Amino acid sequence: MGIFKGYRRGRRMWKLLWIGLFGAVVMLSGCARDAAEKARTYHNDGYLGYSNTNPNLLNRSGTLYEKDIQFIGELLQQVKGIRKTEVGFNGDDANVTLRLESGLSDAERNRIRAEAQNILQANFPRYDVHVKVRS
């Protein structure tokens, strides 16, 4: 009987040792963060960093409008006959007014409007583009 008591006691010691070792590994793995890693804060955009995490998602501040206006101007520079471009946004509607050079026929005006509409709608699928032409 004495042999079995010692065997049981030794087995219990090994169990406790393994449980303690496993617990220590689990506890240390939760605390083993890299010292160089620091807490990162969000950009102060008024939306708790929401516009930074989703940069192409429009929100109330309209963060993309200025870049889109600039890009619309660059795209329409390649169309001949446009003197000036005016752009306005209303939610997901982009309202573009083209001021054309004088002396153009109605067919040329319609061609320029259609070309500008196609270019802008292809490059800005997130907007419903509306193009108007004025002299």
Side-chain angles (χ1 to χ4, degrees):
M1 282 263 195
I3 296 173
F4 292 114
K5 282 185 184 180
Y7 174 74
R8 287 183 186 159
R9 198 175 303 151
R11 192 170 177 195
R12 184 182 301 161
M13 290 274 280
W14 280 107
K15 279 184 183 180
L16 289 175
L17 182 65
W18 280 110
I19 289 172
L21 185 61
F22 179 73
V25 168
V26 168
M27 285 180 21
L28 289 176
S29 67
C31 300
R33 292 186 183 194
D34 187 13
E37 183 180 337
K38 295 180 181 178
R40 295 186 185 127
T41 60
Y42 57 85
H43 179 69
N44 189 10
D45 61 352
Y47 297 100
L48 300 177
Y50 187 69
S51 63
N52 279 352
T53 56
N54 298 300
N56 293 326
L57 183 65
L58 290 176
N59 55 25
R60 277 189 358 194
S61 64
T63 56
L64 296 178
Y65 289 151
E66 291 177 8
K67 292 179 183 177
D68 289 346
I69 290 171
Q70 181 182 4
F71 189 47
I72 286 171
E74 291 172 7
L75 288 172
L76 294 180
Q77 282 179 351
Q78 64 187 349
V79 180
K80 302 244 190 245
I82 298 176
R83 183 171 38 99
K84 185 178 177 184
T85 304
E86 298 170 1
V87 181
F89 294 98
N90 185 11
D92 60 352
D93 290 333
N95 301 307
V96 180
T97 303
L98 304 176
R99 303 283 181 172
L100 302 181
E101 296 174 357
S102 59
L104 296 174
S105 67
D106 287 340
E108 290 173 322
R109 294 165 54 94
N110 287 335
R111 180 196 57 80
I112 292 171
R113 191 200 65 74
E115 185 178 350
Q117 175 77 35
N118 289 336
I119 290 171
L120 294 178
Q121 194 62 64
N123 284 285
F124 294 97
R126 66 178 165 264
Y127 297 119
D128 293 324
V129 179
H130 308 284
V131 178
K132 295 179 185 175
V133 174
R134 293 197 178 149
S135 297

